[in-house]
Amino acid sequence: MPYLIANWKMNLPPEGIDAYMATVGAAEPGDVTIVVCPPFPFLRTLGACGAGVCVGAQNCSDQQSGAFTGEVAPSMLRRSGADFVILGHSERRTLFHENDALIARKLSLALETGLTPVLCIGEDLRVRDSGQVSRFLADQIKVAAVDALASGEKVILAYEPIWAIGTGRNASGAMVAETLVEIRAALERFWPAAHARAPILYGGSVTPDNVDDLVEHGTIDGFLVGGASLDARKFLAIHAGLRRG
Ligand code: PGA
């Protein structure tokens, strides 16, 4: 089942949340699961829209409670109506210095709390240009092989090459298809068998203009969309492309 996930980052849709959710909620979902990830304070607002759209958070703490000023626990996200949580986004890794160990702890706690993690992995341009993509992604998957995966609870992977995020420079469909095969092989090698078929999404400057090229190869299980997800009409055009694929 494909997923289409909106990552609003620290933005709100210019048309307003109610109008946005009414438009997106009116879409014929088909077999696509639509998830919208707003900033924390708007999780409940989205859930209350009753638009038939799932709600996700963009991050969570690796702790359930305590003296961690500014953090939000996975259990609090659940209470606020979130069913999904994005983890290890490259902006968290680079701007907020999140390392693999921290992300692995968040992954464990999210799984234990009943959230579906959307684990982001992806290389920067230096790694891509040095031909080390396969090894780099395999290492990211290996370090995320936490014990909690044994529960068999669903995990979604999002392949987001850092050089394609928010840059308008997207990976070609052929390049993504090739990389997804390598990610699948690493999952089969390093994660429990229950996750061998985990959905693998693509993210990085996905727009209505490149969605057809991306789905053409038939290996993508959906998209994690940043910039274009803030415009409900563009987001729905990507949704239509995913359904065509
Ligand atoms: P983008 O962001 O679509 O704006 O490149 C994707 C993401 O950061 O998840």
PDB file of all heavy atoms in Angstrom, residues 16 40 52 73 108:
ATOM      1  N   GLY A  16      -4.388  28.279   4.731  1.00  0.00           N
ATOM      2  CA  GLY A  16      -5.002  27.992   6.029  1.00  0.00           C
ATOM      3  C   GLY A  16      -5.217  26.494   6.204  1.00  0.00           C
ATOM      4  O   GLY A  16      -5.409  25.758   5.224  1.00  0.00           O
ATOM      5  N   PHE A  40       4.351  20.492  15.829  1.00  0.00           N
ATOM      6  CA  PHE A  40       3.699  19.877  17.009  1.00  0.00           C
ATOM      7  C   PHE A  40       2.365  20.516  17.431  1.00  0.00           C
ATOM      8  O   PHE A  40       1.398  19.794  17.670  1.00  0.00           O
ATOM      9  CB  PHE A  40       4.632  19.922  18.223  1.00  0.00           C
ATOM     10  CG  PHE A  40       5.813  18.995  18.138  1.00  0.00           C
ATOM     11  CD1 PHE A  40       7.082  19.446  18.501  1.00  0.00           C
ATOM     12  CD2 PHE A  40       5.679  17.682  17.732  1.00  0.00           C
ATOM     13  CE1 PHE A  40       8.180  18.596  18.449  1.00  0.00           C
ATOM     14  CE2 PHE A  40       6.778  16.824  17.673  1.00  0.00           C
ATOM     15  CZ  PHE A  40       8.025  17.289  18.032  1.00  0.00           C
ATOM     16  N   GLY A  52     -10.188  12.323   7.307  1.00  0.00           N
ATOM     17  CA  GLY A  52      -9.842  10.983   6.862  1.00  0.00           C
ATOM     18  C   GLY A  52      -8.381  10.879   6.463  1.00  0.00           C
ATOM     19  O   GLY A  52      -7.979   9.986   5.727  1.00  0.00           O
ATOM     20  N   ALA A  73       7.625  13.840  23.986  1.00  0.00           N
ATOM     21  CA  ALA A  73       7.733  12.382  24.072  1.00  0.00           C
ATOM     22  C   ALA A  73       6.825  11.699  23.055  1.00  0.00           C
ATOM     23  O   ALA A  73       5.755  12.222  22.728  1.00  0.00           O
ATOM     24  CB  ALA A  73       7.343  11.922  25.472  1.00  0.00           C
ATOM     25  N   SER A 108      13.445   3.073  18.566  1.00  0.00           N
ATOM     26  CA  SER A 108      13.014   2.070  19.553  1.00  0.00           C
ATOM     27  C   SER A 108      11.800   2.563  20.322  1.00  0.00           C
ATOM     28  O   SER A 108      10.790   1.854  20.450  1.00  0.00           O
ATOM     29  CB  SER A 108      14.124   1.785  20.569  1.00  0.00           C
ATOM     30  OG  SER A 108      15.158   1.093  19.971  1.00  0.00           O
TER      31      SER A 108
END
